[in-house]
Amino acid sequence: MWAMVFERAGRPLERRELPPPRPAAGQVLLRVQACGVCRTDLHIVDGELPAAKVPLVPGHQIVATVEATGPEVSSLGLGDRVGVPWLGWTDGTCRYCLSGQENLCDEARFTGYHLDGGYAELAVADARFCFPIPAGTPDLQAAPLLCAGLIGFRALRLAGDGRALGFYGFGSAAHILTQVARAEGREVFAFTRPGDDRSQAFARELGATWAGSTADAAPTALDAAIIFAPAGELVPLALRAVRKGGTVVCAGIHMSDIPSFPYQILWEERVLRSVANLTRRDGQEFLALAPRVPVRTEVEAFPLESANEALAALRSGRLRGSAVLAVAPRERQT
Ligand SMILES: [Zn+2]
Ligand SMILES: [Zn+2]
């Protein structure tokens, strides 16, 4: 099978022919239709997340069909369409797993980081961590739901149920969550890089009440803010923008250092927190919710061999919506 392989930080992914993976007990062999490109992939390629296995096939927003099942798999059958998310395996026995916080599992293994992912024609995955994909959502449009949508959804829930939400960084996750927040009757205030008029226009098209630059003052006090951009300097900006008791959620896995800030902007019970990974329950809830909103993802498709171009497009901030590798997408769903 062909795959795009990460070998060393700072080097482009290499196109290689690899032996097809074999499903072990509990695993399924998957034919990849599409794989979303996430900012986390960029952090891995850039060496900002140093624990990645090497060589590694990145990619943790996989839409695929089951091609074969390993021993002891009864939950999935041949031809089933599934999504594979970032959370690829947990021990099921640590204090976090036992308390409903498997996203924090001490031994968690993540797809496209500790485990080979979906920048390839074939992949294997633990059947227990595969999700059914909503019928009627095409492969390419479904892929961004699996991380941008799903971990974004967890961030949205952790932000609380306030009405006025600030989104810092308007990429894959924010374009999905704007649709969810609007369906919940909330208002979205979108902050982009200064001068990024296209993303601001995109935010307004999706129903944002206001869109402007991170250099602008918020037009109203926010109930909560979610920071998607990996820029620590946004944390004090967001804290200043939220009302008393408001929450700021950092949604990324990596962020540049946060500059020091006066205690006064945290005072009055403002909360600053991160969101890490996902639980399978987040996935089930979000994938049930998405078609009801309905979430329509806007994607820019790249062939598998253009994964480096897709990563470059993400880095440049010029994407509208989500980048997705079109490995072998089917036009129509049955
Ligand atoms: Zn991701
Ligand atoms: Zn655990």
Side-chain angles (χ1 to χ4, degrees):
M1 67 155 184
W2 287 101
M4 297 299 288
V5 179
F6 169 76
E7 191 76 58
R8 192 136 58 87
R11 296 261 294 271
L13 303 178
E14 266 179 48
R15 183 168 181 266
R16 284 193 203 157
E17 195 165 15
L18 302 177
R22 304 254 295 265
Q27 288 184 327
V28 284
L29 175 67
L30 300 171
R31 177 148 305 270
V32 178
Q33 262 84 46
C35 186
V37 176
C38 176
R39 184 165 291 280
T40 298
D41 305 338
L42 205 50
H43 293 313
I44 291 169
V45 169
D46 288 345
E48 289 162 333
L49 297 176
K53 95 176 193 40
V54 280
L56 170 75
V57 178
H60 58 268
Q61 305 188 85
I62 307 173
V63 177
T65 44
V66 175
E67 181 120 325
T69 55
E72 298 164 38
V73 173
S74 55
S75 57
L76 292 174
L78 299 189
D80 285 353
R81 189 165 78 126
V82 295
V84 181
W86 172 243
L87 186 70
W89 186 86
T90 56
D91 60 14
T93 57
C94 75
R95 61 185 289 185
Y96 299 104
C97 285
L98 296 176
S99 63
Q101 295 178 287
E102 66 178 358
N103 59 308
L104 301 178
C105 175
D106 285 331
E107 302 294 330
R109 293 166 144 233
F110 298 111
T111 311
Y113 186 44
H114 304 121
L115 308 165
D116 281 334
Y119 286 20
E121 293 174 314
L122 297 168
V124 291
D126 188 316
R128 298 168 303 167
F129 291 83
C130 295
F131 298 121
I133 296 287
T137 307
D139 295 331
L140 293 174
Q141 278 70 31
L145 301 178
L146 289 158
C147 182
L150 217 156
I151 297 184
F153 174 70
R154 185 174 175 87
L156 186 65
R157 287 290 167 265
L158 293 179
D161 50 15
R163 188 177 161 80
L165 293 168
F167 291 166
Y168 288 75
F170 204 86
S172 187
H175 104 279
I176 294 171
L177 292 192
T178 296
Q179 300 175 51
V180 175
R182 294 292 298 131
E184 291 175 343
R186 309 211 239 178
E187 288 194 293
V188 171
F189 299 81
F191 298 83
T192 74
R193 295 184 219 202
D196 188 357
D197 299 339
R198 288 179 60 215
S199 295
Q200 291 168 18
F202 184 39
R204 281 185 216 104
E205 274 172 49
L206 290 171
T209 302
W210 175 93
S213 119
T214 52
D216 297 332
T220 184
L222 303 174
D223 294 311
I226 305 177
I227 302 176
F228 298 105
E233 66 268 22
L234 295 175
V235 169
L237 289 180
L239 279 171
R240 287 180 199 278
V242 299
R243 61 162 173 79
K244 289 183 279 189
T247 298
V248 174
V249 181
C250 300
I253 192 170
H254 173 84
M255 186 179 252
S256 58
D257 286 355
I258 300 170
S260 76
F261 54 83
Y263 175 59
Q264 182 205 346
I265 64 174
L266 181 62
W267 165 241
E268 295 173 322
E269 303 196 343
R270 290 177 184 83
V271 174
L272 173 62
R273 67 170 302 160
S274 65
V275 58
N277 314 317
L278 67 134
T279 64
R280 281 173 280 182
R281 194 173 158 181
D282 295 327
Q284 285 144 11
E285 286 180 10
F286 177 68
L287 292 170
L289 173 70
R292 294 204 308 267
V293 168
V295 172
R296 297 188 204 285
T297 58
E298 191 140 336
V299 306
E300 188 167 332
F302 296 80
L304 174 61
E305 60 269 26
S306 299
N308 290 307
E309 286 75 17
L311 289 166
L314 179 56
R315 189 195 307 280
S316 73
R318 67 160 182 78
L319 285 168
R320 181 182 154 97
S322 313
V324 176
L325 300 182
V327 182
R330 295 150 312 166
E331 282 185 7
R332 240 172 251 275
Q333 306 310 320
T334 52

